[in-house]
Amino acid sequence: MSGLERQAVRGIGYGGDYNPEQWPEATWAEDIGLMAEAGVNLVTVGVFSWSRLQAAPGELTADWLDRVLDLLAAAGIAVDLGTGTASPPPWLVTAHPEILPVTVDGRRLAAGGRQHYCPSAPAFRAAAVELADRMARRYAGHPAVTMWHVGNEYGCHVPACYCDRSAEAFREWLRARYGEPGALNEAWGGAVWSQDYTSWDQVQPPRTAPTYANPAQQLDFARFSSGELLACYRGERAAIAAHDPGTPVTTNFMGLSRVVDQFRWAADVDVTSVDSYPDPADPEAHLFSAMNCDLTRSVGGGRPWMLMEQAPNAVNWRAVNVPKAPGQYRALSLQAVARGGDAVLSFQWRAAATGAEKFHSGMLPHAGTDSRVWREVTGLGADLGRLAPVAGRLVPAEAAILHDWESWWALEMDSHPSRLRLGELLREFYRPLFESGVTADFAHPESDLSGYRLVLVPALYLVSDAGADNVGRFAAAGGTVAVSFFSGIVDTSDRIRLGGYPAPWRDLLGLRVEEFAPLPEGATVRLDGAPETDQDRAGRVWQDVIDLRGADPVLRYAEGHLAGQAAVTRHPYGRGEAFYLGTLPDPATLRGLVRLACDRAGIEFRTDLPPGVEAVRRGDQLFVISHLDRPVELDLGGKSRDLLTSDIVGPAVVLGPRGVLVLAARD
Ligand code: GLA
Ligand code: GLA
């Protein structure tokens, strides 16, 4: 289509996945009219369209897509164009059954769902790159195409493939990493359980074994598998760049999901994007989604990012699919903007009538426009239009939570002192920051920490020498650090760092952990220490047996065989200070400790926010978002103009259920 300017999204992007191929062409004009009504300016097209883009190997059969893109361009709606490679079509599977992935226990998965491909399969990679190449050649420069969307949620259904071809690729990867089998034996602990390899062809993926598979082998396989998926992404990205080098490329990450090492992918993703599906049945859904936002911003190095998918209402894939409460779609969408998002998209535009996802909500529900969801969708479009001045602005963060996918993989392997789940622990440490208006990034342990005042280190089980030194240097230079139990335990090959835990941080923390004493599931241990409180304090999950070597106890165990011994400590280090938590304190106690650390770090820790109300600064605005289903009184400390209503509000204000204010921030 000629004569049209290339679409640029002005202000905040708004829209969703648009799958017009699932509908008769007569529906498309209605779609476009309703998109205009809702303020939609950005849609994702073609993500799962392979069988309609290529009915057989070779040329594109995409006249329909030409017409869709032309219609969208004429309506001024920008397109995030999928390469369409996330679901191989039946003709490809029939010609190359070897592309079907194999599970850890040796079952070959069938086609008929989606994402049924082995990332190491040459036939899959070649076909995907060929499709991406044809798409880029055909649509480079199309006025609607604003960005490219490669694949979809890499690793979602098939995080790793254990087939023979994957085994071969794994061996090549290991050979490049270790050079010769002796070095691999050293790294993997080959002397344990008679696992020394004498030639590469003996090495296999960590398939289901009679008992625990070698943990270092599992860890390397997780690294390898994330890398194979990245290689798939890179292949398509390069094919696009050959024809359309100036247009940004993304793929949608899954937030707090273990499968791919997003920090390693980051350099290849021009705009970071996330699919975020908090469970409306979770009273802390807003906490989970906030973590996804902050993680995605952090993976993108602080730059604006996109909420690529969320559900406008219920999903279809939980056992029970609770709808979003009235106003929840809006509050969580504006949360994404508050935390640095420049686009708010949903899966999907029009709720499907056929197929596996027909009970997943859409922006345009089965009931049509006379519906709560549609009214909320148009309302949000109007709100986002008013937030245009916020687009492109940055979110300052004074605190960081260290996060590393490699450590996550290693932490959650079996055969450990206790069953720790990183997602749960991150939430525990994130909660007090969220509740007190302290914005946090998630930072890789080896990244530059000099911009932060406070660094939390929850269960960073695996740490490299460089990461360990980095944390020490941060504290020496004046930073405040709070390290939890089961951090700094192993090196990058999952080998214990000896001499008392956490070996790389004993000097930093002024202590040595002599042994672990995890608590039975659900059990607690009483804690005491100054200042006295009315409430009992308790530790959960874990106890470390701490040998003080200069640290001062902050809390002690008050019962059990560790009674009287230190449970939480602090220790000056260089110009900074390091706290250590040998147990997981109850939420109120943990909040008090995080407050102590914030005070030490010189970070404002707000105590005036009612639980369930968040306050986040972005650029010159302060977003105040209630996630409560009842009105709440707030003291804003002065008068301010609300960007959403243009009203002057404050100092006292009653915020309605799930109400949002976007105020001029005071410095
Ligand atoms: C069994 C095995 C040992 C060791 C112990 C661990 O007894 O024989 O090799 O694995 O379990 O408890
Ligand atoms: C994922 C996928 C989408 C859709 C949604 C449903 O995010 O990327 O294609 O299946 O889940 O929630």
Side-chain angles (χ1 to χ4, degrees):
M1 166 168 257
S2 60
L4 277 175
E5 286 289 302
R6 188 99 185 252
Q7 293 305 328
V9 176
R10 292 193 180 76
I12 305 290
Y14 183 45
D17 276 49
Y18 179 37
N19 296 308
E21 70 274 30
Q22 297 179 12
W23 297 91
E25 195 155 341
T27 322
W28 300 354
E30 185 194 28
D31 284 327
I32 307 259
L34 290 173
M35 284 177 191
E37 189 181 320
V40 165
N41 56 11
L42 176 63
V43 292
T44 301
V45 179
V47 174
F48 291 100
S49 309
W50 198 338
S51 70
R52 291 282 164 110
L53 292 170
Q54 278 188 314
E59 286 300 308
L60 292 183
T61 45
D63 295 356
W64 65 272
L65 184 56
D66 297 350
R67 295 196 293 283
V68 168
L69 295 184
D70 289 354
L71 279 173
L72 289 164
I77 297 169
V79 170
D80 164 43
L81 186 57
T83 53
T85 53
S87 192
W91 58 257
L92 180 58
V93 177
T94 305
H96 291 283
E98 79 279 6
I99 73 169
L100 291 170
V102 171
T103 62
V104 64
D105 52 359
R107 266 183 314 124
R108 197 173 275 281
L109 298 176
R114 63 176 176 182
Q115 231 187 53
H116 42 276
Y117 61 83
C118 160
S120 306
F124 169 72
R125 284 206 193 172
V129 167
E130 203 225 287
L131 177 56
D133 173 83
R134 288 184 191 279
M135 290 288 284
R137 219 176 319 159
R138 181 138 161 173
Y139 296 113
H142 189 287
V145 178
T146 298
M147 60 190 304
W148 288 94
H149 184 108
V150 172
N152 191 68
E153 290 192 340
Y154 276 96
C156 172
H157 305 302
V158 181
C161 174
Y162 295 78
C163 75
D164 290 341
R165 179 65 193 98
S166 296
E168 254 174 64
F170 184 42
R171 286 191 281 270
E172 287 158 28
W173 186 90
L174 291 169
R175 201 194 277 258
R177 186 176 174 92
Y178 295 107
E180 43 98 22
L184 178 141
N185 293 335
E186 187 62 26
W188 287 11
V192 177
W193 289 358
S194 179
Q195 293 179 359
D196 288 306
Y197 298 97
T198 52
S199 74
W200 289 109
D201 60 348
Q202 298 161 2
V203 184
Q204 299 293 338
R207 298 185 175 117
T208 304
T211 183
Y212 311 118
N214 183 311
Q217 180 185 8
Q218 291 187 57
L219 178 59
D220 270 343
F221 194 65
R223 290 179 174 123
F224 158 80
S225 299
S226 174
E228 289 298 276
L229 290 165
L230 177 56
C232 292
Y233 168 82
R234 280 182 177 153
E236 293 190 38
R237 180 187 162 89
I240 293 166
H243 304 291
D244 195 7
T247 302
V249 179
T250 192
T251 184
N252 43 350
F253 291 131
M254 293 182 286
L256 277 166
S257 145
R258 286 195 338 167
V259 290
V260 301
D261 183 344
Q262 295 173 29
F263 283 128
R264 274 197 193 275
W265 286 54
D268 292 287
V269 179
D270 299 318
V271 184
T272 322
S273 69
V274 67
D275 298 351
S276 184
Y277 288 95
D279 185 351
D282 174 3
E284 287 189 331
H286 54 280
L287 210 70
F288 174 81
S289 56
M291 290 170 76
N292 279 339
C293 294
D294 291 347
L295 180 66
T296 306
R297 181 186 67 245
S298 304
V299 167
R303 285 173 291 131
W305 51 276
M306 300 171 67
L307 178 58
M308 185 62 82
E309 290 183 23
Q310 63 173 333
N313 195 16
V315 300
N316 61 298
W317 41 262
R318 294 191 172 101
V320 176
N321 297 297
V322 171
K324 281 190 167 153
Q328 197 170 19
Y329 166 66
R330 174 180 187 260
L332 295 179
S333 296
L334 297 182
Q335 176 190 65
V337 177
R339 292 180 181 274
D342 265 3
V344 173
L345 275 56
S346 285
F347 180 87
Q348 59 179 326
W349 161 251
R350 189 186 272 272
T354 55
E357 296 187 296
K358 59 184 172 297
F359 292 113
H360 193 292
S361 58
M363 296 168 75
L364 181 56
H366 293 155
T369 54
D370 185 8
S371 58
R372 169 180 76 94
V373 168
W374 180 252
R375 284 185 284 277
E376 292 202 24
V377 162
T378 53
L380 178 61
D383 285 328
L384 293 175
R386 293 180 199 111
L387 294 184
V390 179
R393 309 306 299 271
L394 302 181
V395 177
E398 293 181 313
I401 297 173
L402 292 196
H403 178 66
D404 178 16
W405 268 270
E406 297 198 358
S407 180
W408 192 353
W409 296 329
L411 176 76
E412 295 192 1
M413 282 195 268
D414 41 23
S415 195
H416 277 190
S418 182
R419 181 187 169 281
L420 299 180
R421 287 292 168 263
L422 189 68
E424 293 164 15
L425 292 172
L426 288 177
R427 191 189 279 214
E428 294 282 353
F429 283 85
Y430 184 86
R431 184 183 295 116
L433 298 173
F434 178 91
E435 289 178 344
S436 53
V438 179
T439 303
D441 287 342
F442 288 89
H444 188 276
E446 292 177 25
S447 65
D448 178 8
L449 302 175
S450 60
Y452 303 112
R453 292 163 178 265
L454 171 67
V455 167
L456 303 185
V457 188
L460 189 73
Y461 164 70
L462 174 153
V463 70
S464 65
D465 293 347
D469 291 349
N470 197 31
V471 174
R473 275 198 308 277
F474 169 76
T480 303
V481 180
V483 179
S484 94
F485 56 91
F486 219 44
S487 296
I489 306 299
V490 296
D491 68 11
T492 53
S493 291
D494 197 45
R495 287 178 300 209
I496 300 284
R497 294 175 173 279
L498 299 173
Y501 318 110
W505 290 325
R506 289 191 303 247
D507 289 346
L508 166 69
L509 299 168
L511 54 76
R512 188 182 75 126
V513 171
E514 196 181 314
E515 56 174 297
F516 308 130
L519 289 161
E521 201 144 331
T524 58
V525 57
R526 272 193 302 114
L527 302 173
D528 60 23
E532 292 298 325
T533 56
D534 302 341
Q535 259 122 40
D536 281 349
R537 295 190 175 113
R540 298 169 284 163
V541 178
W542 194 275
Q543 304 170 110
D544 275 326
V545 180
I546 296 175
D547 174 18
L548 295 174
R549 301 266 171 110
D552 295 318
V554 176
L555 295 174
R556 295 177 186 273
Y557 300 109
E559 62 181 338
H561 72 280
L562 299 177
Q565 295 195 36
V568 174
T569 64
R570 62 191 295 177
H571 180 241
Y573 186 78
R575 291 193 281 130
E577 185 158 7
F579 290 79
Y580 186 71
L581 288 79
T583 185
L584 179 65
D586 66 86
T589 302
L590 182 56
R591 182 179 160 90
L593 292 168
V594 171
R595 181 177 184 178
L596 199 62
C598 282
D599 289 349
R600 168 64 182 74
I603 294 177
E604 188 195 0
F605 186 93
R606 294 182 61 163
T607 52
D608 59 331
L609 292 170
V613 175
E614 83 181 275
V616 194
R617 169 107 184 230
R618 179 174 185 189
D620 300 328
Q621 309 294 143
L622 179 73
F623 286 69
V624 180
I625 305 172
S626 169
H627 299 284
L628 302 169
D629 53 15
R630 53 183 163 76
V632 60
E633 277 179 46
L634 297 174
D635 178 1
L636 303 177
K639 287 189 184 302
S640 184
R641 187 178 296 279
D642 174 18
L643 197 56
L644 290 171
T645 55
S646 301
D647 293 343
I648 303 286
V649 293
V653 65
V654 176
L655 199 53
R658 297 197 165 78
V660 181
L661 297 169
V662 183
L663 307 172
R666 268 185 290 272
D667 285 304

